[in-house]
Amino acid sequence: MHNKFKYYIFLLLLVIVFVTYTIFPHQQTKESILFFSIEKEARFTKTKTSLHQTSSAFGEQYHLLWSIESTLDRKAYLRQDVGLLYENGQLKGTLGIKKWKTNTETIKEQKIVSNSESALFQAITFHYGELHNGESIRSTQKMSNAQLYMIVSPSKHASSFIHPKNKAESEWQVALNQYTTQRLQSLWIKGKAKYGLTNKELISIPLTDLYQYNQTPIRGLSVADTQKIIGQLWEGLYKNYMIGFRNENKPPMNPIGSYLPLVVINLKEKTLYVLIPTKDQDYVLLKQRIS
């Protein structure tokens, strides 16, 4: 009799769990950017990524305020802005991951980033909204970016600039640009050779340059096709890079410390690749079909 009572209690608990998940499915957490057909009527009235120095310690650690913000011209069923920050070509941090907002127009996120060396900081943000109209679901998207040069000298306070204002800053700009470009180009060349992505007809775009295609088409594509590819690309990046990525059969890896991904598009084969040099200078290659 006692065992039969325990059995009925167990069945009752199963029924309660089933009913809860059936009646309240909206309570399950959604943790993914999903691309839907673009809602042409929706407009972002503001999209902004910014980097500002907040301290100028004498030859020691400095701090940056990294902010992202956007406002849509209407309330969206779901809103999310996700940001990536690179220091001399290496991923320094992410912002907005798994931070969804519902029934809102505006998102603001910020983070303090600390460092102690001279560096070129590059940030890119994907601003996203999911729009519902009855049974119709569409999305809206836009990108923004920011760049900042931080200079550290043992005999001076840490300083920063976006555009050089004197000869010394111009020299630092050239030096940091060359250092970052050379280390990335070396990694990308080796990675493209490893995976056979050396055809001259392929289109290669560093991830931090994608913001240039908000309204401008990628070579060989229309604006509409470009927006579709970019939306699908960020969907893939969110799932397979920003919240962790795999290298073959190894456990998921934290992307922090990995190097700037290179987007490679093969229009002839209708395939998009994302070449990601890992922190230990191995490679992960993501692949998407494009239509």
Side-chain angles (χ1 to χ4, degrees), residues 107-266:
I107 284 184
K108 295 181 180 180
E109 297 285 349
Q110 63 182 28
K111 178 185 289 188
I112 296 292
V113 178
S114 301
N115 200 46
S116 59
E117 298 179 351
S118 298
L120 164 59
F121 287 93
Q122 296 169 291
I124 185 167
T125 305
F126 183 68
H127 309 277
Y128 171 84
E130 182 179 310
L131 305 166
H132 289 203
N133 184 9
E135 295 184 357
S136 174
I137 302 177
R138 293 182 177 271
S139 56
T140 185
Q141 63 191 41
K142 195 172 182 180
M143 294 171 286
S144 64
N145 77 301
Q147 183 167 290
L148 186 71
Y149 295 88
M150 283 299 311
I151 310 304
V152 176
S153 172
S155 59
K156 296 180 180 179
H157 290 284
S159 62
S160 64
F161 64 89
I162 298 175
H163 304 290
K165 299 179 289 295
N166 52 52
K167 183 179 179 181
E169 290 183 349
S170 294
E171 291 174 348
W172 270 111
Q173 181 186 49
V174 171
L176 289 171
N177 284 348
Q178 286 182 346
Y179 173 70
T180 301
T181 299
Q182 287 174 1
R183 76 191 305 208
L184 290 175
Q185 288 292 343
S186 176
L187 289 167
W188 291 338
I189 289 172
K190 292 177 182 177
K192 287 194 290 184
K194 177 178 180 178
Y195 295 107
L197 302 175
T198 55
N199 190 319
K200 293 183 179 179
E201 295 181 0
L202 300 180
I203 301 169
S204 296
I205 308 170
L207 182 62
T208 46
D209 287 351
L210 275 182
Y211 73 93
Q212 299 175 9
Y213 300 99
N214 275 323
Q215 300 296 330
T216 302
I218 294 171
R219 175 169 53 86
L221 296 170
S222 65
V223 172
D225 286 340
T226 297
Q227 291 302 302
K228 181 178 181 181
I229 287 173
I230 287 175
Q232 292 173 336
L233 168 62
W234 279 101
E235 177 181 331
L237 287 172
Y238 187 86
K239 296 175 183 177
N240 302 304
Y241 171 59
M242 299 178 74
I243 60 176
F245 61 99
R246 293 179 181 272
N247 190 2
E248 298 177 348
N249 296 321
K250 298 179 181 179
M253 295 184 291
N254 188 325
I256 302 300
S258 63
Y259 293 83
L260 181 67
L262 182 69
V263 179
V264 181
I265 302 173
N266 188 327

Side-chain angles (χ1 to χ4, degrees), residues 65-81:
L65 176 62
W66 173 25
S67 305
I68 59 178
E69 179 181 355
S70 67
T71 300
L72 193 61
D73 65 355
R74 64 197 67 195
K75 288 187 177 181
Y77 178 78
L78 287 172
R79 284 277 287 110
Q80 186 176 26
D81 288 355

